[in-house]
Amino acid sequence: MLGEVDNGFRKVPIPLGTDHGFLVMNAGDEDQASPRIALGRKNRREVVAFKTVADFEAALRRIPAGTLLHRHDRCLRPASSGLEAAFLEGVEQALARSDVQVAPDTVVTCLCGR
């Protein structure tokens, strides 16, 4: 599980549905943002969460070059809602500097029941 997000009624898990994936989320709320980046590797049965882009980027360097990394998110609104634009841009820059390939499509976990 990469993380849990609140759907307004309960916490819903965001599972790691691919071999390698990540989730950028606000573990706080709109008033008190708390950035988290979860990075999971299914073959190692591990998920590690980072509070800083620098720590996330260091972890990306330990993943073999060319590995396909899937972005995971929730439906309706991004799990990263409420995080500063500079933090989100830092995540994108870290991914661009890494040797991993980011899959073109996001893996979406439905929270709305559709």
Side-chain angles (χ1 to χ4, degrees):
M1 179 174 67
L2 288 171
E4 290 184 327
V5 294
D6 192 340
N7 72 354
F9 302 103
R10 62 185 169 83
K11 295 278 188 175
V12 177
I14 304 288
L16 175 60
T18 59
D19 291 335
H20 295 84
F22 72 101
L23 169 68
V24 180
M25 67 179 287
N26 181 354
D29 56 34
E30 296 293 323
D31 297 324
Q32 294 273 326
S34 179
R36 294 285 187 284
I37 310 164
L39 179 64
R41 295 189 279 181
K42 194 178 270 190
N43 64 341
R44 292 188 179 197
R45 299 177 57 95
E46 90 177 344
V47 173
V48 180
F50 307 97
K51 292 182 180 181
T52 69
V53 172
D55 290 341
F56 174 62
E57 188 167 4
L60 289 174
R61 286 193 292 269
R62 293 189 295 271
I63 297 174
T67 297
L68 185 62
L69 186 66
H70 289 82
R71 182 184 312 265
H72 288 67
D73 213 337
R74 57 175 279 174
C75 69
L76 299 180
R77 75 173 216 220
S80 60
S81 292
L83 297 181
E84 292 184 11
F87 181 84
L88 298 174
E89 181 59 30
V91 170
E92 295 306 318
Q93 290 173 358
L95 291 165
R97 286 189 296 262
S98 75
D99 291 329
V100 300
Q101 293 180 351
V102 179
D105 297 322
T106 300
V107 177
V108 177
T109 298
C110 180
L111 304 183
C112 63
R114 291 184 187 178

